[in-house]
Amino acid sequence: MIRRRWLLVCILLFIMMPTYNHVQSQDIYTINSPEVKDIASHLAMEGHSEHDLATCTTMQRYYEEIAEMLNEGFSKQDILADYEAMYGEQGFREPNKTGFSLLAWILPFIALGAGTTAFIIRVTRQVKGHKQLTDEAREGQEKGVSQDSTENDIMKALIEEEKRHHL
Amino acid sequence: MHVIGNITIYLAFFLSIYAFIVYILGINKQDQRFIDSGKGATMGIFILASLSMVLMFVLLGTSQFQFEYVAHYTSSDLPLIYKLAALWAGNAGSLLLWTFFLTMYSAMVTFSKKMKRNPMTPYITSILLLNIMFFYFILSFVTQPFAILENTPVEGRGLNPMLQDPGMVFHPVTLYLGYVGLAVPFAFAIASLIVKNMDAFWIQMTRRWTIIAWAFLTLGNVIGGYWAYTELGWGGYWAWDPVENASFMPWLTVTAYLHSVMIQERKNMLKIWNLSLIILSYALTLFGTFLVRSGVLTSVHAFGETNLGAYFLVFMAFMVIFSMYLLMSRYQLIKKDTGQFEAYVSKESSFLINNLILLGGTFAVFWGTVFPLVSEAVRGTKVTVGVPFFNTVMSPILLSLLFLMAICPLIAWQRASFKNIKDKFLIPAIISVAVAIVIVVMGVQDAYPVLGFTIITFMILTHLVEFIRRTRARRHVTKEAVPVALFRLMIRSRRRYGGYIVHLGIALIAFGIVGANFDVERMDTLAIGETLTIGDYTLTYEQLGQRSDGVNESVFARLAIEKHGRDLGYIYPERVFYLNWEEPSTEVAVRSTLREDLYVVLSGWEEDRRATFQVKINPLVQWIWIGSFVLVLGAVFAIWGGRYGQVNPRYTGPERNVY
């Protein structure tokens, strides 16, 4: 019985271990954490997003702010929503994926799709046209062959006649 | 000097008007005397433009601060090379350089041996003269390089420290040579439309011009990337900045053009497409100039807000409308005798898909660049369209482009059979899939890097297989040794193998770009003797020092590098304080290997000598520069003499007397 209990406790500890580690690691977000970098990569940072972290104090302030928020337990979505509430769409380095801004994302692919469609239509039309032309040419060639063979036969008959006549 | 400088500008402006008029008269009256006079004037304009350049260099080199431009962009303590390079640091100087290149190209075309007795020459030169007239109008009345100040300052304002870099000497010059070079094929295309001779003549005549312009555009972009990489604040080597995009767009369209012209030359197809592509490429160069000069978009490259952009917009609109009118009016004529697609899978169709993707990419870049303006106009909100947008949209487009580059060159003309495809692609495909599996097993989980490395491997292999296959075929016939057979094979078909080398260069560049997915960085404040660990590296902060560099003062840090316990020496990041500039400039320290770059920035320091460092490991970056070198090598190989280069096509249009 005691053995079983110990086993149960060990299994529970084993299951909880990764969770514990996870919670531990979450407590030490700094400006060097990849999670901070990931969130920061979405923000326009008052126009400083293209600057370098090493020399831009505004950027450094944002990184520290994000690290602080993560350490307080906010998720990525919470933090981004917070910035959106503060600055709106202009606070980000990319347009929203809703409303008018969605156009920014989809128009290049619509254009590519339209181009592909036009390409397929054009090639299909030309390939069909070419096939038709080739078929017609083949038919013509066949006719030509039969005509030629008739004329050849006539010619041969004439030559034979001449040979018989003179030789 | 002021008078002489202005005379060179005004005289060249009036001479360009004169040359244009006499050319038109000569063409209309079919009178050789007018044409000869126009030719003389064209050479005169080039000489005047050269004089303006020399004069400007003298003024800059000797610090003549009574001249507004010299006072604005130089100071007496500036090294001579940067004093001279300041010619393209501002609006007036860079436009003077642009105009000089334009007059140089025009003189080269007009007096080229190949164009001798060619009746199309007056038309081509007239189109180029239209451009020259516009640029001289700007230099004469809008932004004058030889304007003088009322009061001569004792000292100039100096050059922005970020511009005091070897990149400044080469980046703008190469980029302008590329930009301006595109005016030549454009002029040939428009001339062919005017004279209603849209056969492959203009394409064959401009092949070299276009490749040269393309190679310079490539070089310009790459040098700009390298410059950005070593100068902080410019976002690594590529930041999808509006002005970077402006030079990338014509690069994409010219790349498309260089591929589709092969179809016109071989199969007499895509005539309208090729004309449209070159018109578009030329228009994009003007659009780029408009972006840089107008200040409508925020960019690190912009020359600030001026009214120059409006002039470029009007000129671009005029040239595009004029070109499109010509194209439409000749539409039926061009359509006549145009070749047709014979099968779905063929080199022709694969090239057209390649064009489609390149154009799709161009549109995506264009749309992303102008979307802030569109959004502001429609909704009153100027949104930011930055790196995340371009990376998301462009990644699938550029990956599909790489895939097409792997298969396009090896697909047969007219109709590709299944056997043909299997023979050429089976082994590379199997090896590439194996590489993908190895990459995944090694722990790379993101789809894009895995896909990227797989496609790049496939691309390199298909090209190598082609080299091997053809060398073997040649050896079979000639019994030559392998190196001899390979050398002769390449030398006898320079255009084809130059193209393959370019493709390999692009594969290497792509290899470096995909590597950016694995970069790591950290920023730490260290006291003397403390260490910082990043990846496999351990950096020990040993010293913070100061030194004088001419009139400038530098603060530098010394860090010892260790990797896996092995001593790799020292690295010295620094900040330079310029006499005429408030902000210190950051000089990064980079330790490069083929595998990765260790990139160290001295961010700041305290009185107690604690210093803050930003350290990055940028994997595979060196391959971008190596790939660029290979790419330019391929372009030079493709245009260097050879069988194709010696072919001098004849003009086959209607009979004309003047040439």
Side-chain angles (χ1 to χ4, degrees):
Chain A
M1 192 68 183
I2 293 168
R3 264 190 183 178
R4 256 190 209 174
R5 268 187 199 161
W6 270 111
L7 194 69
L8 200 68
V9 168
C10 285
I11 291 168
L12 274 172
L13 275 175
F14 182 75
I15 293 167
M16 283 167 70
M17 210 162 64
T19 325
Y20 175 74
N21 284 342
H22 189 58
V23 171
Q24 281 285 56
S25 69
Q26 277 186 341
D27 283 336
I28 46 158
Y29 289 113
T30 67
I31 59 167
N32 293 318
S33 305
E35 293 84 353
V36 174
K37 196 182 166 190
D38 174 41
I39 296 169
S41 71
H42 293 278
L43 303 178
M45 301 184 217
E46 299 161 49
H48 292 256
S49 57
E50 304 300 336
H51 294 186
D52 203 279
L53 183 62
T55 47
C56 180
T57 48
T58 309
M59 231 181 158
Q60 287 164 14
R61 187 165 49 79
Y62 268 88
Y63 269 68
E64 279 158 13
E65 205 173 79
I66 295 164
E68 210 173 292
M69 280 198 268
L70 280 170
N71 285 329
E72 281 168 17
F74 287 96
S75 68
K76 180 183 173 180
Q77 281 70 28
D78 294 338
I79 296 168
L80 291 176
D82 201 31
Y83 280 113
E84 186 163 17
M86 261 194 286
Y87 299 107
E89 197 179 354
Q90 284 160 292
F92 294 90
R93 292 173 83 188
E94 55 191 21
N96 281 344
K97 285 171 184 154
T98 52
F100 179 77
S101 294
L102 182 65
L103 215 57
W105 295 94
I106 60 168
L107 204 61
F109 296 103
I110 291 176
L112 253 174
T116 311
T117 313
F119 165 76
I120 293 168
I121 292 170
R122 185 178 171 177
V123 174
T124 306
R125 200 177 288 168
Q126 292 196 357
V127 168
K128 274 184 184 166
H130 176 76
K131 206 178 161 214
Q132 204 175 337
L133 273 174
T134 320
D135 289 346
E136 279 171 13
R138 200 177 296 136
E139 255 176 52
Q141 216 174 15
E142 277 165 13
K143 270 185 195 167
V145 168
S146 62
Q147 267 179 359
D148 286 352
S149 59
T150 317
E151 278 175 10
N152 281 347
D153 290 345
I154 295 167
M155 187 64 78
K156 273 180 191 168
L158 277 173
I159 292 168
E160 284 300 314
E161 189 63 34
E162 287 292 307
K163 272 183 186 171
R164 240 181 279 142
H165 191 73
H166 292 287
L167 302 171
Chain B
M1 290 284 239
H2 162 67
V3 177
I4 299 170
N6 280 330
I7 283 176
T8 60
I9 300 286
Y10 291 128
L11 199 60
F13 175 56
F14 289 113
L15 212 53
S16 62
I17 297 174
Y18 168 78
F20 183 73
I21 292 171
V22 290
Y23 265 122
I24 300 299
L25 281 173
I27 291 165
N28 277 338
K29 293 179 184 289
Q30 287 292 298
D31 190 332
Q32 190 62 43
R33 287 173 303 169
F34 284 115
I35 300 294
D36 288 341
S37 180
K39 276 175 137 181
T42 308
M43 182 52 87
I45 298 164
F46 170 59
I47 293 167
L48 284 168
S50 310
L51 257 173
S52 307
M53 288 283 288
V54 171
L55 210 60
M56 201 66 200
F57 277 133
V58 171
L59 297 178
L60 288 162
T62 55
S63 299
Q64 304 287 319
F65 296 130
Q66 69 272 32
F67 286 85
E68 193 184 335
Y69 192 83
V70 180
H72 206 93
Y73 295 103
T74 64
S75 54
S76 43
D77 57 278
L78 205 62
L80 181 65
I81 185 75
Y82 295 125
K83 277 185 185 175
L84 300 179
L87 177 65
W88 39 92
N91 257 325
S94 61
L95 286 175
L96 182 66
L97 178 74
W98 187 302
T99 314
F100 168 71
F101 285 148
L102 198 54
T103 60
M104 180 183 81
Y105 280 143
S106 303
M108 281 165 80
V109 170
T110 312
F111 293 92
S112 141
K113 263 187 188 171
K114 283 186 178 175
M115 296 304 288
K116 214 173 180 183
R117 305 190 70 80
N118 189 321
M120 260 175 87
T121 314
Y123 297 88
I124 296 160
T125 316
S126 304
I127 305 296
L128 288 168
L129 278 164
L130 253 180
N131 285 274
I132 293 174
M133 269 160 59
F134 168 73
F135 277 93
Y136 267 117
F137 168 78
I138 297 286
L139 289 175
S140 304
F141 305 110
V142 186
T143 176
Q144 296 158 319
F146 296 102
I148 50 167
L149 294 163
E150 278 180 25
N151 301 309
T152 307
V154 183
E155 187 51 83
R157 278 197 222 172
L159 192 65
N160 184 335
M162 277 207 281
L163 301 181
Q164 295 180 41
D165 183 278
M168 170 64 175
V169 181
F170 301 107
H171 167 62
V173 177
T174 45
L175 210 55
Y176 284 8
L177 277 167
Y179 266 156
V180 184
L182 288 180
V184 178
F186 170 77
F188 271 80
I190 297 300
S192 80
L193 282 171
I194 293 171
V195 299
K196 298 180 184 171
N197 180 36
M198 282 78 65
D199 61 14
F201 167 80
W202 73 274
I203 279 178
Q204 286 162 357
M205 285 303 290
T206 54
R207 195 181 74 82
R208 276 189 178 182
W209 285 103
T210 317
I211 297 179
I212 289 169
W214 180 86
F216 275 121
L217 260 183
T218 312
L219 258 179
N221 281 324
V222 172
I223 296 171
Y226 186 76
W227 184 7
Y229 185 63
T230 50
E231 284 291 331
L232 277 184
W234 285 26
Y237 48 81
W238 192 260
W240 294 108
D241 176 270
V243 177
E244 288 176 347
N245 294 348
S247 58
F248 186 48
M249 284 187 279
W251 187 88
L252 287 172
T253 53
V254 175
T255 308
Y257 169 80
L258 283 170
H259 285 88
S260 63
V261 287
M262 283 189 252
I263 314 242
Q264 183 172 344
E265 283 177 78
R266 277 258 197 154
K267 310 287 292 177
N268 206 26
M269 292 163 75
L270 307 177
K271 287 183 191 173
I272 298 169
W273 182 256
N274 286 329
L275 285 159
S276 308
L277 273 180
I278 206 68
I279 293 169
L280 178 65
S281 304
Y282 168 77
L284 284 172
T285 64
L286 294 177
F287 176 72
T289 320
F290 156 72
L291 276 186
V292 185
R293 319 279 160 179
S294 62
V296 291
L297 289 166
T298 316
S299 161
V300 287
H301 299 73
F303 283 92
E305 213 162 311
T306 65
N307 61 345
L308 264 172
Y311 290 96
F312 275 93
L313 205 60
V314 171
F315 182 63
M316 183 178 76
F318 168 74
M319 290 306 264
V320 170
I321 292 167
F322 170 62
S323 315
M324 293 318 287
Y325 164 74
L326 272 176
L327 190 65
M328 289 300 117
S329 64
R330 273 40 168 183
Y331 184 75
Q332 290 305 328
L333 202 66
I334 305 169
K335 256 185 94 176
K336 226 168 55 180
D337 304 328
T338 298
Q340 305 272 305
F341 286 100
E342 293 172 24
Y344 290 100
V345 184
S346 63
K347 196 185 275 291
E348 297 91 304
S349 59
S350 71
F351 270 26
L352 200 57
I353 299 172
N354 143 304
N355 266 229
L356 197 70
I357 290 177
L358 281 163
L359 265 276
T362 311
F363 179 74
V365 177
F366 174 79
W367 181 236
T369 309
V370 299
F371 191 75
L373 298 176
V374 175
S375 173
E376 195 175 22
V378 175
R379 298 187 303 165
T381 314
K382 195 170 185 173
V383 295
T384 308
V385 181
V387 178
F389 170 85
F390 286 105
N391 283 350
T392 311
V393 174
M394 289 303 285
S395 297
I397 294 176
L398 294 177
L399 278 178
S400 30
L401 192 66
L402 284 176
F403 180 70
L404 273 176
M405 279 167 69
I407 57 168
C408 275
L410 309 188
I411 289 186
W413 287 95
Q414 283 183 323
R415 189 186 294 267
S417 66
F418 177 72
K419 189 182 175 304
N420 165 271
I421 292 171
K422 196 186 89 181
D423 284 353
K424 288 176 178 171
F425 299 117
L426 188 64
I427 295 171
I430 291 169
I431 298 174
S432 306
V433 170
V435 167
I437 293 167
V438 170
I439 294 170
V440 172
V441 169
M442 279 168 71
V444 180
Q445 300 295 327
D446 292 345
Y448 274 129
V450 175
L451 213 58
F453 284 132
T454 310
I455 294 174
I456 292 163
T457 311
F458 182 59
M459 186 179 157
I460 292 174
L461 286 174
T462 54
H463 281 72
L464 289 183
V465 164
E466 182 68 359
F467 273 93
I468 295 167
R469 211 170 57 85
R470 286 186 183 264
T471 309
R472 200 181 284 168
R474 189 181 162 87
R475 279 195 70 207
H476 186 70
V477 178
T478 60
K479 311 285 179 219
E480 291 163 340
V482 174
V484 178
L486 177 66
F487 177 73
R488 289 200 176 145
L489 178 79
M490 288 175 69
I491 223 79
R492 296 217 171 145
S493 194
R494 287 171 195 171
R495 186 172 173 181
R496 176 200 293 258
Y497 288 96
Y500 289 170
I501 296 169
V502 168
H503 282 185
L504 288 173
I506 288 176
L508 296 180
I509 294 174
F511 185 60
I513 292 171
V514 177
N517 285 282
F518 307 101
D519 65 336
V520 280
E521 67 177 304
R522 64 178 300 125
M523 201 162 117
D524 273 328
T525 302
L526 306 175
I528 299 266
E530 280 187 332
T531 59
L532 175 158
T533 305
I534 183 167
D536 299 331
Y537 293 95
T538 303
L539 284 92
T540 309
Y541 170 41
E542 291 191 346
Q543 186 200 349
L544 187 71
Q546 191 172 350
R547 69 159 184 266
S548 293
D549 186 11
V551 290
N552 306 322
E553 291 290 323
S554 295
V555 173
F556 68 91
R558 189 178 75 187
L559 294 109
I561 316 166
E562 258 183 47
K563 191 179 182 185
H564 299 304
R566 200 158 58 90
D567 185 13
L568 296 178
Y570 298 98
I571 201 161
Y572 298 88
E574 61 182 56
R575 301 288 294 271
V576 184
F577 291 83
Y578 288 85
L579 203 62
N580 298 325
W581 219 259
E582 258 180 51
E583 285 291 310
S585 165
T586 304
E587 294 298 323
V588 298
V590 186
R591 185 184 179 277
S592 296
T593 61
L594 289 181
R595 192 178 162 191
E596 63 205 6
D597 276 13
L598 177 70
Y599 188 98
V600 185
V601 185
L602 174 61
S603 176
W605 54 89
E606 309 290 334
E607 275 183 15
D608 60 1
R609 295 193 165 249
R610 280 189 309 130
T612 305
F613 299 95
Q614 189 189 20
V615 187
K616 299 179 188 179
I617 295 178
N618 296 326
L620 309 176
V621 176
Q622 285 304 307
W623 291 100
I624 296 177
W625 322 126
I626 295 170
S628 309
F629 175 74
V630 173
L631 187 150
V632 173
L633 199 75
V636 172
F637 191 80
I639 52 175
W640 166 46
R643 194 151 59 94
Y644 290 95
Q646 283 157 8
V647 175
N648 193 9
R650 277 186 307 130
Y651 171 75
T652 54
E655 195 68 32
R656 280 181 170 80
N657 295 325
V658 294
Y659 45 78

